[in-house]
Amino acid sequence: MIRVTGLSHRIGASTILHDLDLTLPRGKLVALIGPNGAGKSTLLRLIARLEPLQQGRIQIDGLDLATTPSARLALAMAVMGQQARIASRLRVGELVGFGRWPHHHGRPRAADHQAVDQALDAFGLTPLRHRFLDEISGGQAQRAHLAMTFAQGTDWLLLDEPLNNLDMAHARALMARLADLVRGSGRSVVTVIHEVNYAAAWADHVVAMKDGRIVAEGAPATVLTEPVLSALYDTPIEVARHDGRPLVLHHHRHDDLDAPCPGPATETRLALH
Amino acid sequence: MARSARPLIAALLALLAAVSLVWMVQGIGGGNRSFILQLRGTKLAGLVLVGAAVGTATVLFQTVAANRVLTPSIMGFDALYVLLQTALVAGLGMAGFAGLPAGAKFLAEVAAMSVLSAALFGTLLGRGARDIPRTILTGVILGVLFRSLSTFLARVMDPNAFAVVQSVSVASFGSIDAALLPMAGLIMAACLGVAMRLSARLDVLALGRDAALSLGLPFDRLVLATLGLVGMLVAVSTALVGPVAFFGLLVAGLAHRLSPSSRHEVLLPVAGLIGALFLVAGQTLFERLMGQTGTLSVVVEFAGGLFFLFLLLKGRIR
Amino acid sequence: MKARPLVLSGLVLSALILASLGVGAASIDLGGSDPWTMLVLMQSRLPRTLALLLTGAALAVAGVVIQSLVRNRFVGPDTAGTGESAALGLLAVTLLAPAAPIWVRMIAASLAAMAGTALFLAIVRRLPAREVMLVPIAGLILSGIVGGVVTWIAWEADLLQFVATWLMSGEFSGVIAGRYELLWVAGLAALLAWFAADRFAILSLGDEVATGLGLSSRGVMRLGMVVVSVVSALVVVTVGMIPFIGLVVPNIVARIMGDNLRASIPVVAAGGAGLLLACDLLGRVLRHPYEIPVGTILGIVGSVVFLWLLYRPASHG
């Protein structure tokens, strides 16, 4: 499991994370949710050692982040950041192949080739493996990056807003893949998710964050409730149930459609106090 | 002329006169005064001409390019002139072109340069001027291409005399070709006259293509004419001292900062005066007070280059 | 199918090598073995051909390396201020310790080149990330400024003749046995880059990907800077500035076979060597028996190709 103790983080004068203590369970699909600026991405990036640790301690399956060499950590967790467009002209198969680099450091063995084949297959990329990344669609490229992370073969996968720029169908397919991954191969996935309903539909464990603190955590049914979410987003939110899972309804003002009410700008201003 | 600009122009003129006086009489000894004065006078005229040409050419070019970080030299104008010179000698060498009097030869080169700049840079700015970084890069690479072609032509013409091209590829304010001065002065005066006549139209041009067209300005023709003028001015300065890449950037930047009005009838004389003042003052400082004839061009380029890098890092080029 | 570009470039390269051994001011019979032929071959033609091969290959590989360091396709080792910085270092040694042995000079030149490259990388990091074209502009300006300083110091110290051979367009007509061997070191540096090819490929995917795979991007950056600096310094000192090889060749190879550097670096090296050899041959035959410097020919060929790269339609298809 991932154990975070006493974690604080500052950027300039502003504190992004306030003395967090958190344990993320193994073998689950964990979703980090919360409003903009809650510190979800910062937390994920700190766990993934993409940002230097300022204060506090993070352990991944007993490996202390501060003392374990980066190359060793690459065998325990794989990371997919919010990718910028890469300038390299690589084929899909080559990109996924780099996921095996922590295992072979330049001399791929049969097991590595096999892992790459599996990853390509798992993400439906086998027909595209010889295509250049700049010649396929954005959704396909996203899948290629994810396959690379998968090919790394680590117990932990950390994903920073993987649904960004994906349309409804692709987003859903991605979440289904992640859920299969967790159920089928016993991997553990931690992902930052912006749209609550993807967490509601697919996650096993939800961590809700606000203003650099953890507001609630636990099974979706216990976290994704009307009082928690309304307080989390400072917006009245209804939660219904669909197929036995929570379904968050927030797309219009249900209660007072006709009544005059404060506009959204006032609401957020109130929330700041 | 706008009334508000009079004090500035008068002050610049007074400063230029004062510095020129220092240049002429500083440390003049008893012997052979008239010879020394004549020598210094020639140099002074050259420096003033070059400074004014670079300053006004840069302002004109920046107006056409709708951008404050481009200069004709960054875009490869001076390299084009060197190539033209070499090509004319190579192509017309047999027809006795090289044997023509310096003034007539120069005039022919300037005319050709004006047409060529309008054609080449008119095409370039017409197509891709929205993407400024790409336009700059294109200019720089065109400069490399022109210089390489000049060297190549010179080598093919006369394998032993390639030094000719190399000597004009480095700026030198210390040695000014006196034979060209009268013709250069005439061309310069003509260009300035035309530019001042066009100044009201240039103000409209500076509003951008769409606004200028809707105000009824023959936009494309005016752009070509202005580029032609820029070509001639660059020919004057390059023929006299050689290429100066970043100096114009400093001068035009300062002119825009100091000038109380962004109207070209003010901008152009201010830029010309600042350019002349810079060069005369700089050369006086380095040659007379510090005894280093060749330093000015390096210092000017160094300062201009740093200024450009500064603009780049401040995110002003995009 | 994978090996095709390599085989093809190998064949072309062999033909060029034969031609390079056969062409020159002195006419010799390649089949013969008389003393005169052997002398020309061993003292002049063979060293010159080897120098061309080493320079072209090393510069092209250095181009791949610097392009992956700055993640930008429009730069090369000659447009990053590296060569000019090397000249500055060499000039400093010449002025401060005129009696220093050759290896001290080379180390000084390489260290200065490294400092120049580091400065370039620091500037690039401050540029707005989306403006792809600003990176080469910054490099060219930096080259210009450092070059200006070198010229000025050389002018003041009356060493301009000496410096001109480094900053002017490079040529190989002066290469004879005993005067090019340093280029082997440049070749070795390029070989080192090949061994680390995967690391550079990962680095060009971004710092985050590199960290995620457990790779220290700083270490790779340092290695890359050493390779680029050593190659540029040794080339500038031995034969002068060779423009565009490091910029154009990696671009063309990437267009054909992509950026899997482990596979593409040998092709890049062969391509660089071939292009330099071809341009040098052209310079030798165009005005026979006189020579046109290869730097001049490359200035023309390279800038035309570069302009094409700037204005070609994007590779999305």
Side-chain angles (χ1 to χ4, degrees), chain A residues 97-151:
Chain A
F98 279 122
R100 295 303 295 172
W101 199 80
H103 298 270
H104 61 63
H105 284 243
R107 279 181 202 75
R109 285 176 293 261
D112 297 309
H113 294 301
Q114 207 182 335
V116 172
D117 291 343
Q118 272 172 13
L120 287 168
D121 199 40
F123 288 87
L125 290 167
T126 308
L128 297 177
R129 73 179 301 166
H130 295 297
R131 298 276 296 277
F132 281 113
L133 277 175
D134 53 2
E135 290 165 356
I136 60 179
S137 76
Q140 291 168 332
Q142 173 98 343
R143 246 157 62 210
H145 279 271
L146 201 63
M148 171 184 171
T149 318
F150 177 76

Side-chain angles (χ1 to χ4, degrees), chain A residues 45 49 88-89 101 134 152, chain C residues 204 208 211-212 254-255 259:
Chain A
R45 293 170 60 83
R49 48 111 167 65
S88 293
R89 214 167 122 77
W101 199 80
D134 53 2
Q152 207 169 325
Chain C
S204 56
E208 301 200 346
T211 311
R255 214 172 146 76
D259 277 324

Side-chain angles (χ1 to χ4, degrees), chain C residues 181-204:
Chain C
E181 281 74 3
L182 276 171
L183 290 172
W184 284 104
V185 180
L188 280 180
L191 198 63
L192 187 67
W194 187 34
F195 285 133
D198 282 342
R199 286 176 168 77
F200 290 120
I202 290 173
L203 188 69
S204 56

Side-chain angles (χ1 to χ4, degrees), chain B residues 106-121:
Chain B
F106 183 50
L107 194 63
E109 286 168 358
V110 169
M113 175 68 186
S114 146
V115 174
L116 213 54
S117 332
L120 184 62
F121 293 98

Side-chain angles (χ1 to χ4, degrees), chain C residues 27-29 31-44:
Chain C
S27 61
I28 55 166
D29 172 21
S33 60
D34 54 293
W36 166 242
T37 301
M38 289 317 283
L39 182 73
V40 171
L41 264 184
M42 298 316 287
Q43 289 302 309
S44 162

Side-chain angles (χ1 to χ4, degrees), chain C residues 4 8 20 26 43 49 76 97 101 112 141 166 168 224-225 280 287:
Chain C
R4 227 174 47 193
L8 199 68
S20 169
Q43 289 302 309
T49 306
I141 304 297
W166 308 327
M168 289 295 163
M225 274 174 53
D280 188 66
R287 192 75 170 91

Side-chain angles (χ1 to χ4, degrees), chain C residues 1 15 21 31 39 62 72 78 131 133 169 173 182 229 251 257 259-260 280 290 306:
Chain C
M1 183 197 124
L21 290 175
L39 182 73
N72 187 306
D78 51 310
E131 294 289 353
M133 306 279 174
S169 51
S173 58
L182 276 171
S229 307
N251 267 293
M257 58 183 296
D259 277 324
N260 186 7
D280 188 66
Y290 296 103
F306 193 174

Side-chain angles (χ1 to χ4, degrees), chain B:
Chain B
M1 175 155 310
R3 187 164 297 164
S4 61
R6 277 184 196 158
L8 176 66
I9 291 186
L12 284 173
L13 270 174
L15 260 177
L16 182 59
V19 175
S20 305
L21 195 67
V22 174
W23 165 263
M24 290 302 284
V25 302
Q26 188 272 333
I28 196 157
N32 213 350
R33 276 195 189 182
S34 65
F35 174 73
I36 294 180
L37 279 179
Q38 196 192 344
L39 198 68
R40 290 184 174 184
T42 311
K43 231 172 171 179
L44 178 68
L47 287 172
V48 169
L49 269 181
V50 170
V54 171
T56 47
T58 309
V59 166
L60 287 173
F61 186 73
Q62 291 186 345
T63 297
V64 173
N67 182 283
R68 293 277 178 82
V69 294
L70 293 177
T71 74
S73 310
I74 292 177
M75 294 302 297
F77 270 73
D78 48 7
L80 178 64
Y81 177 68
V82 174
L83 174 60
L84 187 82
Q85 273 185 315
T86 325
L88 281 178
V89 174
L92 303 175
M94 307 302 142
F97 181 75
L100 285 179
K105 206 173 105 198
F106 183 50
L107 194 63
E109 286 168 358
V110 169
M113 175 68 186
S114 146
V115 174
L116 213 54
S117 332
L120 184 62
F121 293 98
T123 323
L124 186 63
L125 293 175
R127 277 186 61 201
R130 294 304 115 215
D131 189 351
I132 296 302
R134 192 208 297 239
T135 311
I136 298 180
L137 201 52
T138 309
V140 174
I141 301 303
L142 278 178
V144 176
L145 177 62
F146 296 153
R147 271 187 284 277
S148 304
L149 279 172
S150 313
T151 317
F152 179 77
L153 274 181
R155 287 268 189 171
V156 172
M157 272 184 327
D158 183 353
N160 297 314
F162 64 95
V164 180
V165 174
Q166 291 190 343
S167 71
V168 289
S169 57
V170 181
S172 158
F173 295 112
S175 54
I176 284 172
D177 194 345
L180 294 180
L181 268 181
M183 186 56 84
L186 271 177
I187 295 172
M188 176 75 205
C191 285
L192 268 187
V194 175
M196 289 304 277
R197 288 278 314 246
L198 289 176
S199 66
R201 268 169 268 184
L202 288 169
D203 297 338
V204 180
L205 187 89
L207 299 176
R209 189 185 161 134
D210 294 357
L213 279 178
S214 89
L215 291 171
L217 196 76
F219 184 83
D220 295 336
R221 245 177 39 215
L222 190 58
V223 164
L224 289 186
T226 314
L227 284 173
L229 281 180
V230 173
M232 292 199 222
L233 290 168
V234 171
V236 167
S237 76
T238 312
L240 289 178
V241 296
V244 272
F246 297 113
F247 176 51
L249 194 68
L250 280 178
V251 176
L254 211 57
H256 278 287
R257 178 68 52 89
L258 288 182
S259 168
S261 152
S262 58
R263 313 215 15 199
H264 283 78
E265 74 174 353
V266 178
L267 270 181
L268 289 171
V270 167
L273 283 171
I274 291 177
L277 187 59
F278 248 113
L279 288 191
V280 178
Q283 194 67 18
T284 309
L285 184 70
F286 285 110
E287 188 178 322
R288 292 298 158 68
L289 305 183
M290 295 165 65
Q292 289 171 316
T293 326
T295 312
L296 178 64
S297 63
V298 178
V299 171
V300 157
E301 287 301 274
F302 188 69
L306 283 183
F307 182 55
F308 190 82
L309 213 52
F310 166 77
L311 291 178
L312 199 74
L313 287 174
K314 292 285 273 185
R316 297 272 293 277
I317 301 177
R318 53 181 64 193

